[in-house]
Structures are given as C-alpha cells and as structure tokens.
Amino acid sequence: MNRPLENIRVLDFTRVLAGPYCTMLLADMGAEVIKIERPESGDDTRHFGPYKNNESGYFIYLNRGKKSIVIDLKTEKGIETIKSLVEKSDVLVENFRPGVMKKLGLDYETLKKINPKLIYTSISGFGQYGPYSQRAAYDIIAQAMGGMMSITGYDDTPPTRTGSSLGDMSAALYAAYGTMVALFHRQQSGEGQLIDVAMVDSIFSLLESNIMRYTINEELPARIGSRHPISSPFDVYACEDGYIVIAIANDSLFQQLCHLMGEPELSEHPKFKTDPLRKKNENELKDRIEEWSKKYSVTTVVSKANEAGIPCSSILNIKEICEDNHIAVREMLVEIEHPIAGKVKIPGHPVKFSSTPAVIKNPSPILGEHTDEVLQTILGYKDIEV
C-alpha cells in the first residue's frame, strides 16, 4: 500500500523536540526524511536519557523512520552538497534561531532560486520577525510568554508549566499541518513557499476561551487548578482510595449525576439548577459530591458514572496508561527493533486513516548511517567524494 507522502523528500535540519516531532509525523506518512546532523555529536537528543544500550530513548522515539547523514555545514563542500540536495527535495524543515540559516547561505530566499517549488518550514521560539524574534526559547519560555503558565496551577501556588512540552509539541503539529497545506497548494499552483511557525504563537492559539474572556469582558483569567472557568462540576474529586475527574457542562448531565448520587432533588436546588449557578457555588457543590464519592472506590465511581453516560475518569499514571488495553487496541504504544537498543516501545501515530494508515517502518538512524547511500544514490557521488 502506498503511503500519502511516499514521493516526498524532506531535508530535516531540526534537533531536540519541536522540529524532530514535526518531521517524524511526515516520516510516519511515508516521506523520505533525511536528517542532516553535525559531525561527531549529531542531534543534541542523542545524548538525552533515558538510555538503552547507550542509545537515547528520547532520540529513538522522535527520529523513527528517518535517514541520518553527517554534513559539516561549516565547509564550502558541505553547503554545496546541501544545495544539490535541495534541487532534488520537496520540503526543508529547520528550527535554528532566526538568521542562522541565512548566515549559512541556506535561507529561503537563496534556496527558492535553486528550487522554486521548495516548501521551507521554519520553527522558532518567537518567529522569523517581530520584536522578540532573536530571543532564545525553550518550552518553558514559550509557555510563560504565551500566557499558558498564568492559567496553570492553583491560585495559592506559583504559575506552573504543563507536564508536557506543549510549546514544542503544538509548534510541531502546526508545522506539520502547515507543510501539508503548502504541499496541497503546490500541487494546485506549482509554487513553493516559506512557513513560519513560532512556539509562542502556538501556545497563544491554545488559550481558547481565555483570550475571549479578556477581549470581550476584560476579565483576567487566573489559575483555578483543574476546574473549568465556566462550567461546574468540572474538577478533581476525592474517592475512598484516590481521585477521579468529573466533567459536566450542561444541566442534563448534572441531573444524571444527581440521580446517580441518589439525590435527584439536588438538580433543582436554587444554588445548583443552572450551570452559571453551579459555577458560582462550586465549592459547596464539590463538598456535596465528595460526601457521596468518598464512600466508594475509584473503580466503583468511574464504572457507575460511565454506565450512566457521565464523563468521568480515574487519573492514570504513566505506567497505567501504558498498560491500558484501550491504548493497546488503538496501537498507541508500538514496539520497534533498534539495531543497538534492541526492542523498544514508543508512542504510535495518533491519526488513524482508513485507507492509508501511518506506518512506523524503520527505527531511528545511527549517526551518519545513510550518508553514503544518500549522497551516492541521490547525488551520484563517488566514494572518494563522500
């Protein structure tokens, strides 16, 4: 079965997280992703733990299905080689600080003269232009500047970074999306283009109703823990042996919860009859719910709630979600065979296609594993030139 991107060649200048995750998604869908790495050390994440047989699990996950070639970008021959590859490629993805690729002579304006159909995707902390474009950024910087940390945590604790690198991951997803849209546009017009994705922009775009609460009502959203800014009950609740989450955003579901609790009259209580009233009195409502939930185990409450059609879940740790049968059936944890690390389980592809499913075909590459192959088969280099 042909995969959708099987005839697309991607030159991957990315490292660490945002860029490699973007190109990993393209590789899963069949693109030939050629990872350009620096001599000796390669991508920084080759040296990030955890390790198996001295191979980085971090790198193994993010760089599956790619080819690795070592090119010294500080040499004239190295730059010449890259430009030759650009002629024969469809996409270039990079996540250097703005200006670095221009200093190398590998910026979009230069390369589009070599290949006008090139899709050139740049990922950075603050974007290719703007007052902050030259600032260095990691995920926590993006979450802080983008507004996410101001609404994450509790009102009596310092602002908190989310447990996953949403700045990197959201930028990676937008970059993959932008690349695909640009490829579709090129199919129609024959034109390539530059795609500029910023981590701060990406985080800002995820703030959803918080932005509208400010722009419409001049309300300043604050940290409210796991609660919802508009609806209630929508929070973490204690049970006999642990915690659950309940998420209710309409009166009908609240009525069902009240029936489950054995208190159907609670849904008509003047403090709880509507969502705005429940939000206004959510502390008192939480006490009422926990009077009930604390009598039962997490398993019991979750089971009863789901049978009643009420959105409710236990709070799984990483071990529990990795071993959950739903994750297995959805193929969200897959095993690959790495030539050095051996068998390793990594997250699967999250988008399920009925006709052209993503395939995790090959493991992550050894540093420079495909240098000879790429330069000889694509550029026709002789051994001595390699």
Side-chain angles (χ1 to χ4, degrees):
M1 182 184 296
N2 290 333
R3 291 185 288 167
L5 300 183
E6 209 152 90
N7 296 315
I8 299 298
R9 178 174 292 141
V10 178
L11 295 184
D12 180 4
F13 285 83
T14 69
R15 66 262 186 261
V16 188
L17 179 52
Y21 190 77
C22 166
T23 53
M24 180 200 81
L25 295 173
L26 302 179
D28 284 355
M29 297 313 300
E32 179 188 20
V33 177
I34 301 172
K35 188 175 180 70
I36 316 295
E37 298 195 74
R38 60 191 171 194
E40 298 182 10
S41 58
D43 187 330
D44 294 346
T45 56
R46 287 187 180 275
H47 313 288
F48 289 6
Y51 297 99
K52 185 176 181 186
N53 297 338
N54 292 320
E55 290 293 310
S56 164
Y58 196 119
F59 183 87
I60 287 172
Y61 166 38
L62 293 171
N63 294 281
R64 66 197 188 200
K66 303 177 187 179
K67 296 177 178 178
S68 168
I69 67 173
V70 170
I71 300 285
D72 190 346
L73 299 180
K74 295 178 181 178
T75 66
E76 200 172 305
K77 183 63 175 176
I79 297 300
E80 178 189 320
T81 300
I82 292 299
K83 288 181 177 179
S84 296
L85 285 170
V86 166
E87 288 185 61
K88 300 175 181 293
S89 299
D90 301 282
V91 175
L92 184 151
V93 185
E94 61 92 12
N95 65 343
F96 290 110
R97 194 182 300 192
V100 170
M101 291 292 272
K102 185 174 180 62
K103 287 179 182 177
L104 293 170
L106 299 174
D107 55 298
Y108 175 64
E109 293 302 318
T110 299
L111 297 186
K112 76 173 183 179
K113 295 173 185 175
I114 297 172
N115 182 355
K117 293 185 176 183
L118 182 69
I119 309 299
Y120 192 112
T121 302
S122 293
I123 306 170
S124 60
F126 294 89
Q128 300 300 302
Y129 61 88
Y132 307 144
S133 63
Q134 292 303 307
R135 290 189 182 183
Y138 278 92
D139 176 74
I140 195 170
I141 303 296
Q143 291 200 32
M145 282 290 298
M148 183 69 75
M149 285 181 64
S150 74
I151 57 170
T152 305
Y154 291 85
D155 58 4
D156 58 351
T157 65
T160 304
R161 170 187 173 273
T162 62
S164 183
S165 299
L166 285 186
D168 283 287
M169 301 301 271
S170 59
L173 291 169
Y174 284 133
Y177 158 76
T179 300
M180 296 300 300
V181 171
L183 283 168
F184 183 70
H185 172 73
R186 190 185 73 174
Q187 185 180 10
Q188 297 175 309
S189 68
E191 300 173 346
Q193 61 181 302
L194 171 66
I195 299 164
D196 174 5
V197 177
M199 291 164 63
V200 170
D201 295 353
S202 301
I203 283 290
F204 184 78
S205 75
L206 299 181
L207 298 178
E208 29 95 7
S209 66
N210 292 286
I211 299 296
M212 307 315 296
R213 286 160 61 201
Y214 173 71
T215 60
I216 293 175
N217 295 331
E218 295 189 350
E219 174 190 352
L220 185 61
R223 297 186 298 284
I224 54 173
S226 299
R227 294 177 176 179
H228 193 277
I230 299 171
S231 297
S232 182
F234 201 111
D235 201 356
V236 174
Y237 300 89
C239 291
E240 185 181 47
D241 58 350
Y243 294 90
I244 59 168
V245 292
I246 294 173
I248 287 177
N250 62 53
D251 297 339
S252 175
L253 282 173
F254 182 63
Q255 291 167 10
Q256 292 180 53
L257 176 63
C258 294
H259 278 280
L260 181 64
M261 292 166 56
E263 297 185 66
E265 69 284 353
L266 197 62
S267 64
E268 296 299 320
H269 194 289
K271 289 184 177 181
F272 308 135
K273 192 169 185 179
T274 66
D275 205 14
L277 287 171
R278 291 193 292 275
K279 182 63 184 175
K280 183 179 178 182
N281 299 288
E282 67 182 336
N283 289 332
E284 185 178 341
L285 178 57
K286 183 169 185 173
D287 290 340
R288 294 289 294 268
I289 291 171
E290 289 191 329
E291 284 178 18
W292 164 73
S293 62
K294 285 181 178 178
K295 297 175 184 176
Y296 304 98
S297 68
V298 166
T299 302
T300 299
V301 174
V302 171
S303 176
K304 288 179 177 292
N306 280 296
E307 284 176 14
I310 298 166
C312 175
S313 175
S314 54
I315 301 170
L316 303 186
N317 61 33
I318 303 302
K319 177 180 184 295
E320 290 168 332
I321 188 61
C322 282
E323 296 176 356
D324 191 90
N325 185 55
H326 186 78
I327 291 297
V329 170
R330 296 283 297 173
E331 297 181 309
M332 280 309 301
L333 193 63
V334 297
E335 188 172 76
I336 62 168
E337 184 79 36
H338 188 274
I340 295 176
K343 291 182 178 179
V344 183
K345 288 185 177 180
I346 60 174
H349 194 91
V351 184
K352 311 303 181 185
F353 295 81
S354 63
S355 298
T356 57
V359 178
I360 300 172
K361 196 172 182 180
N362 298 307
S364 60
I366 308 303
L367 180 61
E369 179 181 348
H370 303 93
T371 304
D372 290 9
E373 174 196 326
V374 167
L375 299 187
Q376 289 172 348
T377 60
I378 298 175
L379 300 183
Y381 278 22
K382 303 285 194 296
D383 287 346
I384 188 67
E385 292 178 285
V386 173

